Amino acid sequence: MRQIRNITEAEQALAEYMPQVKELLGKDITLVRMEPLLASLGNPQSKLKIIHVAGTSGKTSTSYYVASLLKVAGQKVGLTVSPHLDSVTERVQINLEPLAEDVFCQSLGEFLELIKNVDPRPTYFELVIAFVYWYFAKVQVDYAVIETGLGGTFDATNVAKNSNKVCVITDIGIDHTHVLGNSLPEIAGQKAGIIQAQNQVFMHDQSPAVMEVFHAKSNNEKAILNVLSIAKEQDREAFIALPDYQKRNWSLANQVYGYLAQRDSLPALTEDQLIESMRVKVPGRMEVKKLGKKTIVMDGAHNEQKMTAFVSSFKKLYPNQKAAILLSLKEGKEYEAVLPIIKPICSSLIITTFLTAQDLPAVSIHPDILAAAAQKYGFNNVSVDAYYKTAYQQLLATDEPLAIITGSFYLLSTLRPIILSNDD
């Protein structure tokens, strides 16, 4: 068995599968590598009760809430999300806890030994998802909550074709156009690709262009499309306390739990259990940290839809207040749409870059391009510091009691460990 002694060695082992991602991205998004890989492992995904989550905005939060509801119901639940923020162990969670590093390393070594001769060679994300399915089957989770990485039809997670799979579709918007398409129907078509024969599908009502796609796909697959409303949750005191954008996500998750409870004879949850499920901390979503007299709000909003939701929630949490903002956006992101959204809450803007070595190649927009666009939109006090650590120190040195770090989960992943390691 391959010996992996620590998380650094685990990351090095996974990094061997990264070069292929850049080579293939955009021209070979397919399941042809996943299917033989999973077959060599005995198709562990077919042995799991899967909740498969796709969408543009809210899919990570919704995944956490589904897992949280199942956990408070006493179920053993596996969860995988991407990208990770602090550690690759976040990709394999049991009952909302990332695997302990020693367990992760030992299990990864065992897994890599099993697939060492598989051809064709998988990408980083494909390898991680295969590891997730294999591990969840090995430890016999009651449910596996699986967040898609990109799209749905050809996403590596979409080897799960079980008829008892539950599909969860969060809000659809414009993102990843270089891979998924340039229109809402095209993007919705990719997301709808996770729907397999006879699946139950849960989503909130969205635009007619989106809903038409999901009705057609569900009809074709003889799947049941459940279109939901959050109206019945409005009187719940804890629900009212949730950030606005999380209300849709928790409500969607709760409807999914209600279906699973009926199908699988799970317990009805008490009000206290429902409140407990809402308290799950979703990393990098309206995450607040106090450092001395300064309050730092971290949110990975990176497109128009997500930034609109973030700013709306920020305004409710901190009415009539502005913040110093540290911003970086990935190349290809719609900065012309994002910048006007944050302008009303921005007193000063610091633009930086990020470093990443995760499953998709990611390069930040050149800060001078963002700075020029910000000045065009009338931002005051715009500065550039391409090195994220000194840009963060500049943020801490601002006079404003409120500070925001946003624009990319890759930016958060570089700074969040530094921020969270500081005592209040």
Side-chain angles (χ1 to χ4, degrees):
M1 186 177 78
R2 182 167 179 173
Q3 294 298 314
I4 298 177
R5 294 167 294 183
N6 53 52
I7 207 68
T8 299
E9 291 188 3
E11 289 170 344
Q12 289 169 347
L14 291 170
E16 295 171 13
Y17 295 83
M18 286 180 184
Q20 191 180 10
V21 180
K22 189 169 184 178
E23 178 186 333
L24 294 174
L25 187 64
K27 64 180 181 182
D28 195 14
I29 305 298
T30 173
L31 294 176
V32 298
R33 292 175 297 278
M34 281 299 287
E35 287 163 348
L37 177 57
L38 270 295
S40 74
L41 297 165
N43 286 313
Q45 76 281 8
S46 65
K47 302 167 188 172
L48 298 167
K49 284 188 280 192
I50 290 173
I51 299 93
H52 201 178
V53 186
T56 305
S57 298
K59 65 181 187 289
T60 299
S61 294
T62 302
S63 298
Y64 269 90
Y65 285 134
V66 171
S68 183
L69 286 157
L70 288 166
K71 179 189 174 187
V72 299
Q75 302 301 295
K76 182 178 183 179
V77 54
L79 170 66
T80 186
V81 296
S82 65
H84 58 267
L85 287 181
D86 300 334
S87 169
V88 69
T89 60
E90 295 164 30
R91 305 286 184 124
V92 193
Q93 301 187 37
I94 302 294
N95 288 343
L96 295 170
E97 293 290 336
L99 291 191
E101 288 192 3
D102 60 338
V103 175
F104 184 92
C105 293
Q106 187 275 330
S107 300
L108 181 62
E110 182 182 347
F111 171 79
L112 290 174
E113 184 68 22
L114 289 173
I115 60 102
K116 65 182 180 181
N117 295 321
V118 170
D119 185 59
R121 185 178 175 84
T123 67
Y124 175 100
F125 183 68
E126 291 167 342
L127 182 85
V128 170
I129 291 301
F131 177 49
V132 164
Y133 281 135
W134 172 80
Y135 185 82
F136 286 168
K138 179 185 177 186
V139 300
Q140 298 182 318
V141 297
D142 296 314
Y143 295 90
V145 182
I146 308 292
E147 179 191 4
T148 58
L150 180 64
T153 302
F154 300 115
D155 188 76
T157 62
N158 204 28
V159 288
K161 302 187 184 298
N162 320 14
S163 62
N164 68 345
K165 185 176 77 171
V166 175
C167 299
V168 186
I169 308 297
T170 65
D171 291 341
I172 306 294
I174 301 295
D175 204 5
H176 299 296
T177 54
H178 62 298
V179 176
L180 302 180
N182 293 304
S183 68
L184 276 181
E186 285 180 296
I187 294 170
Q190 289 294 321
K191 310 289 186 182
I194 69 168
I195 300 170
Q196 306 290 340
Q198 301 178 331
N199 288 171
Q200 290 280 335
V201 185
F202 291 82
M203 66 187 297
H204 287 297
D205 195 19
Q206 299 184 41
S207 71
V210 169
M211 297 312 299
E212 184 178 348
V213 171
F214 281 93
H215 280 292
K217 177 66 172 177
S218 298
N219 287 337
N220 288 342
E221 297 293 344
K222 295 184 171 55
I224 305 300
L225 179 61
N226 303 273
V227 182
L228 312 175
S229 165
I230 67 170
K232 73 175 195 172
E233 313 290 358
Q234 300 289 4
D235 295 331
R236 196 170 265 137
E237 186 174 343
F239 182 78
I240 293 169
L242 281 171
D244 279 359
Y245 73 100
Q246 293 293 34
K247 291 178 181 179
R248 276 176 80 80
N249 298 329
W250 184 87
S251 176
L252 182 56
N254 189 40
Q255 301 268 4
V256 170
Y257 178 79
Y259 166 75
L260 292 172
Q262 183 178 37
R263 186 190 75 180
D264 300 340
S265 301
L266 302 181
L269 299 180
T270 66
E271 192 70 15
D272 285 346
Q273 287 175 313
L274 291 172
I275 291 169
E276 183 183 347
S277 75
M278 295 178 196
R279 289 180 178 149
V280 64
K281 298 297 184 186
V282 184
R285 276 76 175 176
M286 282 296 290
E287 190 173 13
V288 177
K289 172 74 174 178
K290 288 193 72 72
L291 292 179
K293 296 181 179 179
K294 195 176 290 289
T295 298
I296 298 178
V297 182
M298 294 172 277
D299 196 284
H302 58 259
N303 61 31
E304 182 178 6
Q305 190 177 43
K306 292 176 191 248
M307 195 63 79
T308 299
F310 166 68
V311 169
S312 174
S313 292
F314 178 87
K315 285 179 175 178
K316 289 201 171 183
L317 197 59
Y318 303 102
N320 303 314
Q321 295 186 64
K322 292 190 175 186
I325 297 179
L326 179 60
L327 177 72
S328 185
L329 288 165
K330 181 181 160 187
E331 268 189 1
K333 293 299 178 182
E334 46 196 23
Y335 65 90
E336 296 272 7
V338 166
L339 285 168
I341 297 167
I342 64 174
K343 185 174 181 290
I345 63 167
C346 180
S347 56
S348 61
L349 182 65
I350 304 165
I351 298 168
T352 191
T353 64
F354 55 76
L355 300 172
T356 181
Q358 290 196 30
D359 33 355
L360 289 173
V363 178
S364 50
I365 296 173
H366 196 288
D368 290 344
I369 295 174
L370 279 183
Q375 287 164 350
K376 181 180 80 172
Y377 285 113
F379 279 74
N380 296 317
N381 303 322
V382 178
S383 60
V384 168
D385 189 330
Y387 183 43
Y388 64 91
K389 285 188 177 179
T390 51
Y392 170 61
Q393 291 302 319
Q394 187 179 335
L395 182 75
L396 293 181
T398 56
D399 293 333
E400 295 92 331
L402 274 174
I404 294 170
I405 303 174
T406 191
S408 172
F409 285 112
Y410 297 117
L411 177 62
L412 291 189
S413 71
T414 59
L415 288 175
R416 190 169 171 271
I418 301 170
I419 296 166
L420 298 185
S421 66
N422 289 317
D423 294 328
D424 291 355

PDB file of all heavy atoms in Angstrom, residues 293-324:
ATOM      1  N   LYS A 293     -11.005  45.504  17.341  1.00  0.00           N
ATOM      2  CA  LYS A 293     -12.159  46.378  17.095  1.00  0.00           C
ATOM      3  C   LYS A 293     -12.713  46.221  15.681  1.00  0.00           C
ATOM      4  O   LYS A 293     -13.673  46.900  15.317  1.00  0.00           O
ATOM      5  CB  LYS A 293     -11.768  47.833  17.342  1.00  0.00           C
ATOM      6  CG  LYS A 293     -11.396  48.128  18.796  1.00  0.00           C
ATOM      7  CD  LYS A 293     -11.043  49.589  18.985  1.00  0.00           C
ATOM      8  CE  LYS A 293     -10.691  49.879  20.446  1.00  0.00           C
ATOM      9  NZ  LYS A 293     -10.326  51.294  20.658  1.00  0.00           N
ATOM     10  N   LYS A 294     -12.099  45.359  14.899  1.00  0.00           N
ATOM     11  CA  LYS A 294     -12.532  45.205  13.504  1.00  0.00           C
ATOM     12  C   LYS A 294     -13.319  43.905  13.325  1.00  0.00           C
ATOM     13  O   LYS A 294     -12.950  42.860  13.862  1.00  0.00           O
ATOM     14  CB  LYS A 294     -11.326  45.221  12.559  1.00  0.00           C
ATOM     15  CG  LYS A 294     -11.722  45.424  11.088  1.00  0.00           C
ATOM     16  CD  LYS A 294     -10.507  45.538  10.200  1.00  0.00           C
ATOM     17  CE  LYS A 294      -9.737  46.826  10.391  1.00  0.00           C
ATOM     18  NZ  LYS A 294     -10.476  48.002   9.843  1.00  0.00           N
ATOM     19  N   THR A 295     -14.409  44.009  12.587  1.00  0.00           N
ATOM     20  CA  THR A 295     -15.219  42.845  12.225  1.00  0.00           C
ATOM     21  C   THR A 295     -14.955  42.513  10.765  1.00  0.00           C
ATOM     22  O   THR A 295     -15.120  43.366   9.887  1.00  0.00           O
ATOM     23  CB  THR A 295     -16.712  43.134  12.424  1.00  0.00           C
ATOM     24  OG1 THR A 295     -16.957  43.415  13.809  1.00  0.00           O
ATOM     25  CG2 THR A 295     -17.561  41.942  12.003  1.00  0.00           C
ATOM     26  N   ILE A 296     -14.530  41.274  10.510  1.00  0.00           N
ATOM     27  CA  ILE A 296     -14.241  40.833   9.143  1.00  0.00           C
ATOM     28  C   ILE A 296     -15.346  39.885   8.694  1.00  0.00           C
ATOM     29  O   ILE A 296     -15.670  38.910   9.376  1.00  0.00           O
ATOM     30  CB  ILE A 296     -12.874  40.133   9.064  1.00  0.00           C
ATOM     31  CG1 ILE A 296     -11.769  41.110   9.457  1.00  0.00           C
ATOM     32  CG2 ILE A 296     -12.631  39.588   7.666  1.00  0.00           C
ATOM     33  CD1 ILE A 296     -10.391  40.511   9.457  1.00  0.00           C
ATOM     34  N   VAL A 297     -15.928  40.198   7.555  1.00  0.00           N
ATOM     35  CA  VAL A 297     -16.960  39.353   6.959  1.00  0.00           C
ATOM     36  C   VAL A 297     -16.362  38.685   5.725  1.00  0.00           C
ATOM     37  O   VAL A 297     -15.877  39.368   4.811  1.00  0.00           O
ATOM     38  CB  VAL A 297     -18.201  40.175   6.563  1.00  0.00           C
ATOM     39  CG1 VAL A 297     -19.287  39.257   5.995  1.00  0.00           C
ATOM     40  CG2 VAL A 297     -18.738  40.951   7.765  1.00  0.00           C
ATOM     41  N   MET A 298     -16.388  37.368   5.709  1.00  0.00           N
ATOM     42  CA  MET A 298     -15.823  36.607   4.586  1.00  0.00           C
ATOM     43  C   MET A 298     -16.948  35.940   3.803  1.00  0.00           C
ATOM     44  O   MET A 298     -17.799  35.261   4.382  1.00  0.00           O
ATOM     45  CB  MET A 298     -14.859  35.538   5.106  1.00  0.00           C
ATOM     46  CG  MET A 298     -13.613  36.093   5.767  1.00  0.00           C
ATOM     47  SD  MET A 298     -12.617  34.786   6.559  1.00  0.00           S
ATOM     48  CE  MET A 298     -13.474  34.619   8.143  1.00  0.00           C
ATOM     49  N   ASP A 299     -16.948  36.150   2.497  1.00  0.00           N
ATOM     50  CA  ASP A 299     -17.951  35.505   1.654  1.00  0.00           C
ATOM     51  C   ASP A 299     -17.349  35.264   0.271  1.00  0.00           C
ATOM     52  O   ASP A 299     -16.771  36.170  -0.327  1.00  0.00           O
ATOM     53  CB  ASP A 299     -19.210  36.360   1.540  1.00  0.00           C
ATOM     54  CG  ASP A 299     -20.392  35.558   1.007  1.00  0.00           C
ATOM     55  OD1 ASP A 299     -20.436  35.287  -0.210  1.00  0.00           O
ATOM     56  OD2 ASP A 299     -21.260  35.187   1.805  1.00  0.00           O
ATOM     57  N   GLY A 300     -17.519  34.046  -0.231  1.00  0.00           N
ATOM     58  CA  GLY A 300     -16.913  33.669  -1.500  1.00  0.00           C
ATOM     59  C   GLY A 300     -17.728  34.057  -2.723  1.00  0.00           C
ATOM     60  O   GLY A 300     -17.497  33.501  -3.795  1.00  0.00           O
ATOM     61  N   ALA A 301     -18.653  35.003  -2.593  1.00  0.00           N
ATOM     62  CA  ALA A 301     -19.471  35.430  -3.732  1.00  0.00           C
ATOM     63  C   ALA A 301     -18.574  35.792  -4.911  1.00  0.00           C
ATOM     64  O   ALA A 301     -17.661  36.603  -4.761  1.00  0.00           O
ATOM     65  CB  ALA A 301     -20.340  36.621  -3.335  1.00  0.00           C
ATOM     66  N   HIS A 302     -18.856  35.222  -6.087  1.00  0.00           N
ATOM     67  CA  HIS A 302     -17.957  35.443  -7.219  1.00  0.00           C
ATOM     68  C   HIS A 302     -18.673  35.664  -8.542  1.00  0.00           C
ATOM     69  O   HIS A 302     -18.041  35.672  -9.596  1.00  0.00           O
ATOM     70  CB  HIS A 302     -16.964  34.270  -7.350  1.00  0.00           C
ATOM     71  CG  HIS A 302     -17.623  32.941  -7.521  1.00  0.00           C
ATOM     72  ND1 HIS A 302     -17.769  32.059  -6.484  1.00  0.00           N
ATOM     73  CD2 HIS A 302     -18.175  32.338  -8.608  1.00  0.00           C
ATOM     74  CE1 HIS A 302     -18.378  30.964  -6.912  1.00  0.00           C
ATOM     75  NE2 HIS A 302     -18.642  31.121  -8.200  1.00  0.00           N
ATOM     76  N   ASN A 303     -19.986  35.836  -8.502  1.00  0.00           N
ATOM     77  CA  ASN A 303     -20.696  36.207  -9.722  1.00  0.00           C
ATOM     78  C   ASN A 303     -21.838  37.149  -9.361  1.00  0.00           C
ATOM     79  O   ASN A 303     -22.075  37.446  -8.190  1.00  0.00           O
ATOM     80  CB  ASN A 303     -21.197  34.972 -10.490  1.00  0.00           C
ATOM     81  CG  ASN A 303     -22.169  34.124  -9.683  1.00  0.00           C
ATOM     82  OD1 ASN A 303     -22.921  34.619  -8.854  1.00  0.00           O
ATOM     83  ND2 ASN A 303     -22.161  32.816  -9.930  1.00  0.00           N
ATOM     84  N   GLU A 304     -22.541  37.633 -10.352  1.00  0.00           N
ATOM     85  CA  GLU A 304     -23.582  38.636 -10.118  1.00  0.00           C
ATOM     86  C   GLU A 304     -24.660  38.129  -9.166  1.00  0.00           C
ATOM     87  O   GLU A 304     -25.081  38.819  -8.234  1.00  0.00           O
ATOM     88  CB  GLU A 304     -24.212  39.037 -11.464  1.00  0.00           C
ATOM     89  CG  GLU A 304     -25.281  40.102 -11.340  1.00  0.00           C
ATOM     90  CD  GLU A 304     -25.855  40.501 -12.688  1.00  0.00           C
ATOM     91  OE1 GLU A 304     -25.501  39.863 -13.701  1.00  0.00           O
ATOM     92  OE2 GLU A 304     -26.660  41.457 -12.726  1.00  0.00           O
ATOM     93  N   GLN A 305     -25.116  36.907  -9.376  1.00  0.00           N
ATOM     94  CA  GLN A 305     -26.184  36.344  -8.560  1.00  0.00           C
ATOM     95  C   GLN A 305     -25.753  36.202  -7.100  1.00  0.00           C
ATOM     96  O   GLN A 305     -26.462  36.605  -6.178  1.00  0.00           O
ATOM     97  CB  GLN A 305     -26.578  34.984  -9.148  1.00  0.00           C
ATOM     98  CG  GLN A 305     -27.833  34.370  -8.558  1.00  0.00           C
ATOM     99  CD  GLN A 305     -28.172  33.061  -9.248  1.00  0.00           C
ATOM    100  OE1 GLN A 305     -27.299  32.234  -9.512  1.00  0.00           O
ATOM    101  NE2 GLN A 305     -29.435  32.853  -9.563  1.00  0.00           N
ATOM    102  N   LYS A 306     -24.562  35.643  -6.889  1.00  0.00           N
ATOM    103  CA  LYS A 306     -24.080  35.434  -5.525  1.00  0.00           C
ATOM    104  C   LYS A 306     -23.771  36.757  -4.835  1.00  0.00           C
ATOM    105  O   LYS A 306     -24.046  36.932  -3.642  1.00  0.00           O
ATOM    106  CB  LYS A 306     -22.819  34.556  -5.544  1.00  0.00           C
ATOM    107  CG  LYS A 306     -23.080  33.123  -5.972  1.00  0.00           C
ATOM    108  CD  LYS A 306     -21.770  32.345  -6.066  1.00  0.00           C
ATOM    109  CE  LYS A 306     -21.970  31.010  -6.727  1.00  0.00           C
ATOM    110  NZ  LYS A 306     -21.785  29.874  -5.865  1.00  0.00           N
ATOM    111  N   MET A 307     -23.189  37.709  -5.568  1.00  0.00           N
ATOM    112  CA  MET A 307     -22.842  38.984  -4.958  1.00  0.00           C
ATOM    113  C   MET A 307     -24.090  39.783  -4.597  1.00  0.00           C
ATOM    114  O   MET A 307     -24.130  40.460  -3.568  1.00  0.00           O
ATOM    115  CB  MET A 307     -21.929  39.796  -5.876  1.00  0.00           C
ATOM    116  CG  MET A 307     -21.251  40.956  -5.178  1.00  0.00           C
ATOM    117  SD  MET A 307     -20.134  40.441  -3.831  1.00  0.00           S
ATOM    118  CE  MET A 307     -18.686  39.926  -4.764  1.00  0.00           C
ATOM    119  N   THR A 308     -25.115  39.708  -5.418  1.00  0.00           N
ATOM    120  CA  THR A 308     -26.382  40.374  -5.098  1.00  0.00           C
ATOM    121  C   THR A 308     -26.952  39.835  -3.796  1.00  0.00           C
ATOM    122  O   THR A 308     -27.402  40.594  -2.925  1.00  0.00           O
ATOM    123  CB  THR A 308     -27.389  40.175  -6.249  1.00  0.00           C
ATOM    124  OG1 THR A 308     -26.863  40.757  -7.442  1.00  0.00           O
ATOM    125  CG2 THR A 308     -28.727  40.824  -5.922  1.00  0.00           C
ATOM    126  N   ALA A 309     -26.932  38.505  -3.642  1.00  0.00           N
ATOM    127  CA  ALA A 309     -27.442  37.887  -2.419  1.00  0.00           C
ATOM    128  C   ALA A 309     -26.598  38.292  -1.211  1.00  0.00           C
ATOM    129  O   ALA A 309     -27.124  38.603  -0.134  1.00  0.00           O
ATOM    130  CB  ALA A 309     -27.461  36.367  -2.575  1.00  0.00           C
ATOM    131  N   PHE A 310     -25.282  38.301  -1.381  1.00  0.00           N
ATOM    132  CA  PHE A 310     -24.394  38.671  -0.279  1.00  0.00           C
ATOM    133  C   PHE A 310     -24.631  40.105   0.166  1.00  0.00           C
ATOM    134  O   PHE A 310     -24.782  40.392   1.364  1.00  0.00           O
ATOM    135  CB  PHE A 310     -22.931  38.482  -0.665  1.00  0.00           C
ATOM    136  CG  PHE A 310     -21.978  39.157   0.290  1.00  0.00           C
ATOM    137  CD1 PHE A 310     -21.844  38.700   1.592  1.00  0.00           C
ATOM    138  CD2 PHE A 310     -21.244  40.269  -0.099  1.00  0.00           C
ATOM    139  CE1 PHE A 310     -20.990  39.337   2.488  1.00  0.00           C
ATOM    140  CE2 PHE A 310     -20.394  40.902   0.779  1.00  0.00           C
ATOM    141  CZ  PHE A 310     -20.263  40.442   2.082  1.00  0.00           C
ATOM    142  N   VAL A 311     -24.662  41.028  -0.777  1.00  0.00           N
ATOM    143  CA  VAL A 311     -24.817  42.447  -0.432  1.00  0.00           C
ATOM    144  C   VAL A 311     -26.169  42.689   0.232  1.00  0.00           C
ATOM    145  O   VAL A 311     -26.271  43.455   1.204  1.00  0.00           O
ATOM    146  CB  VAL A 311     -24.627  43.333  -1.677  1.00  0.00           C
ATOM    147  CG1 VAL A 311     -25.042  44.774  -1.398  1.00  0.00           C
ATOM    148  CG2 VAL A 311     -23.174  43.280  -2.121  1.00  0.00           C
ATOM    149  N   SER A 312     -27.216  42.023  -0.243  1.00  0.00           N
ATOM    150  CA  SER A 312     -28.533  42.148   0.375  1.00  0.00           C
ATOM    151  C   SER A 312     -28.503  41.707   1.833  1.00  0.00           C
ATOM    152  O   SER A 312     -29.034  42.391   2.726  1.00  0.00           O
ATOM    153  CB  SER A 312     -29.556  41.321  -0.409  1.00  0.00           C
ATOM    154  OG  SER A 312     -30.800  41.308   0.242  1.00  0.00           O
ATOM    155  N   SER A 313     -27.862  40.568   2.097  1.00  0.00           N
ATOM    156  CA  SER A 313     -27.765  40.070   3.470  1.00  0.00           C
ATOM    157  C   SER A 313     -26.875  40.970   4.324  1.00  0.00           C
ATOM    158  O   SER A 313     -27.162  41.207   5.501  1.00  0.00           O
ATOM    159  CB  SER A 313     -27.233  38.640   3.474  1.00  0.00           C
ATOM    160  OG  SER A 313     -28.172  37.765   2.901  1.00  0.00           O
ATOM    161  N   PHE A 314     -25.784  41.476   3.739  1.00  0.00           N
ATOM    162  CA  PHE A 314     -24.893  42.368   4.466  1.00  0.00           C
ATOM    163  C   PHE A 314     -25.635  43.631   4.901  1.00  0.00           C
ATOM    164  O   PHE A 314     -25.494  44.097   6.039  1.00  0.00           O
ATOM    165  CB  PHE A 314     -23.687  42.736   3.600  1.00  0.00           C
ATOM    166  CG  PHE A 314     -22.733  43.688   4.268  1.00  0.00           C
ATOM    167  CD1 PHE A 314     -21.715  43.211   5.081  1.00  0.00           C
ATOM    168  CD2 PHE A 314     -22.852  45.060   4.104  1.00  0.00           C
ATOM    169  CE1 PHE A 314     -20.838  44.078   5.719  1.00  0.00           C
ATOM    170  CE2 PHE A 314     -21.988  45.935   4.726  1.00  0.00           C
ATOM    171  CZ  PHE A 314     -20.973  45.445   5.535  1.00  0.00           C
ATOM    172  N   LYS A 315     -26.439  44.184   4.009  1.00  0.00           N
ATOM    173  CA  LYS A 315     -27.177  45.411   4.332  1.00  0.00           C
ATOM    174  C   LYS A 315     -28.157  45.194   5.478  1.00  0.00           C
ATOM    175  O   LYS A 315     -28.380  46.087   6.296  1.00  0.00           O
ATOM    176  CB  LYS A 315     -27.926  45.912   3.095  1.00  0.00           C
ATOM    177  CG  LYS A 315     -27.044  46.565   2.045  1.00  0.00           C
ATOM    178  CD  LYS A 315     -27.875  47.002   0.845  1.00  0.00           C
ATOM    179  CE  LYS A 315     -27.049  47.759  -0.167  1.00  0.00           C
ATOM    180  NZ  LYS A 315     -27.860  48.147  -1.356  1.00  0.00           N
ATOM    181  N   LYS A 316     -28.749  44.004   5.543  1.00  0.00           N
ATOM    182  CA  LYS A 316     -29.685  43.717   6.642  1.00  0.00           C
ATOM    183  C   LYS A 316     -28.950  43.514   7.957  1.00  0.00           C
ATOM    184  O   LYS A 316     -29.424  43.900   9.026  1.00  0.00           O
ATOM    185  CB  LYS A 316     -30.532  42.488   6.306  1.00  0.00           C
ATOM    186  CG  LYS A 316     -31.541  42.758   5.200  1.00  0.00           C
ATOM    187  CD  LYS A 316     -32.670  41.770   5.228  1.00  0.00           C
ATOM    188  CE  LYS A 316     -33.756  42.203   4.244  1.00  0.00           C
ATOM    189  NZ  LYS A 316     -34.919  41.324   4.267  1.00  0.00           N
ATOM    190  N   LEU A 317     -27.773  42.893   7.870  1.00  0.00           N
ATOM    191  CA  LEU A 317     -26.987  42.630   9.076  1.00  0.00           C
ATOM    192  C   LEU A 317     -26.302  43.899   9.582  1.00  0.00           C
ATOM    193  O   LEU A 317     -26.179  44.117  10.798  1.00  0.00           O
ATOM    194  CB  LEU A 317     -25.938  41.554   8.768  1.00  0.00           C
ATOM    195  CG  LEU A 317     -25.278  40.832   9.935  1.00  0.00           C
ATOM    196  CD1 LEU A 317     -26.310  40.130  10.806  1.00  0.00           C
ATOM    197  CD2 LEU A 317     -24.256  39.828   9.416  1.00  0.00           C
ATOM    198  N   TYR A 318     -25.871  44.758   8.664  1.00  0.00           N
ATOM    199  CA  TYR A 318     -25.167  45.996   9.020  1.00  0.00           C
ATOM    200  C   TYR A 318     -25.812  47.175   8.276  1.00  0.00           C
ATOM    201  O   TYR A 318     -25.234  47.726   7.348  1.00  0.00           O
ATOM    202  CB  TYR A 318     -23.681  45.886   8.655  1.00  0.00           C
ATOM    203  CG  TYR A 318     -22.980  44.719   9.300  1.00  0.00           C
ATOM    204  CD1 TYR A 318     -22.703  43.559   8.566  1.00  0.00           C
ATOM    205  CD2 TYR A 318     -22.609  44.749  10.639  1.00  0.00           C
ATOM    206  CE1 TYR A 318     -22.056  42.476   9.155  1.00  0.00           C
ATOM    207  CE2 TYR A 318     -21.962  43.670  11.237  1.00  0.00           C
ATOM    208  CZ  TYR A 318     -21.700  42.544  10.488  1.00  0.00           C
ATOM    209  OH  TYR A 318     -21.064  41.467  11.070  1.00  0.00           O
ATOM    210  N   PRO A 319     -27.043  47.546   8.678  1.00  0.00           N
ATOM    211  CA  PRO A 319     -27.765  48.586   7.938  1.00  0.00           C
ATOM    212  C   PRO A 319     -27.038  49.925   7.964  1.00  0.00           C
ATOM    213  O   PRO A 319     -26.470  50.322   8.978  1.00  0.00           O
ATOM    214  CB  PRO A 319     -29.114  48.668   8.665  1.00  0.00           C
ATOM    215  CG  PRO A 319     -28.882  48.049  10.010  1.00  0.00           C
ATOM    216  CD  PRO A 319     -27.810  47.036   9.823  1.00  0.00           C
ATOM    217  N   ASN A 320     -27.045  50.574   6.814  1.00  0.00           N
ATOM    218  CA  ASN A 320     -26.476  51.925   6.662  1.00  0.00           C
ATOM    219  C   ASN A 320     -24.986  51.991   7.001  1.00  0.00           C
ATOM    220  O   ASN A 320     -24.480  53.031   7.423  1.00  0.00           O
ATOM    221  CB  ASN A 320     -27.240  52.938   7.518  1.00  0.00           C
ATOM    222  CG  ASN A 320     -28.722  52.962   7.175  1.00  0.00           C
ATOM    223  OD1 ASN A 320     -29.084  52.998   6.005  1.00  0.00           O
ATOM    224  ND2 ASN A 320     -29.565  52.898   8.195  1.00  0.00           N
ATOM    225  N   GLN A 321     -24.281  50.875   6.849  1.00  0.00           N
ATOM    226  CA  GLN A 321     -22.848  50.858   7.125  1.00  0.00           C
ATOM    227  C   GLN A 321     -22.082  50.467   5.859  1.00  0.00           C
ATOM    228  O   GLN A 321     -22.568  49.704   5.031  1.00  0.00           O
ATOM    229  CB  GLN A 321     -22.512  49.869   8.243  1.00  0.00           C
ATOM    230  CG  GLN A 321     -23.115  50.249   9.596  1.00  0.00           C
ATOM    231  CD  GLN A 321     -22.641  49.324  10.697  1.00  0.00           C
ATOM    232  OE1 GLN A 321     -21.465  49.270  11.012  1.00  0.00           O
ATOM    233  NE2 GLN A 321     -23.568  48.580  11.286  1.00  0.00           N
ATOM    234  N   LYS A 322     -20.884  51.014   5.752  1.00  0.00           N
ATOM    235  CA  LYS A 322     -19.990  50.658   4.655  1.00  0.00           C
ATOM    236  C   LYS A 322     -18.761  49.957   5.209  1.00  0.00           C
ATOM    237  O   LYS A 322     -18.477  50.033   6.411  1.00  0.00           O
ATOM    238  CB  LYS A 322     -19.591  51.903   3.864  1.00  0.00           C
ATOM    239  CG  LYS A 322     -20.745  52.537   3.095  1.00  0.00           C
ATOM    240  CD  LYS A 322     -20.246  53.614   2.152  1.00  0.00           C
ATOM    241  CE  LYS A 322     -21.393  54.140   1.297  1.00  0.00           C
ATOM    242  NZ  LYS A 322     -20.928  55.093   0.258  1.00  0.00           N
ATOM    243  N   ALA A 323     -18.027  49.305   4.333  1.00  0.00           N
ATOM    244  CA  ALA A 323     -16.879  48.508   4.763  1.00  0.00           C
ATOM    245  C   ALA A 323     -15.714  48.710   3.811  1.00  0.00           C
ATOM    246  O   ALA A 323     -15.895  49.028   2.629  1.00  0.00           O
ATOM    247  CB  ALA A 323     -17.262  47.030   4.813  1.00  0.00           C
ATOM    248  N   ALA A 324     -14.524  48.495   4.340  1.00  0.00           N
ATOM    249  CA  ALA A 324     -13.350  48.340   3.477  1.00  0.00           C
ATOM    250  C   ALA A 324     -13.431  46.946   2.862  1.00  0.00           C
ATOM    251  O   ALA A 324     -13.720  45.973   3.561  1.00  0.00           O
ATOM    252  CB  ALA A 324     -12.075  48.495   4.288  1.00  0.00           C
TER     253      ALA A 324
END
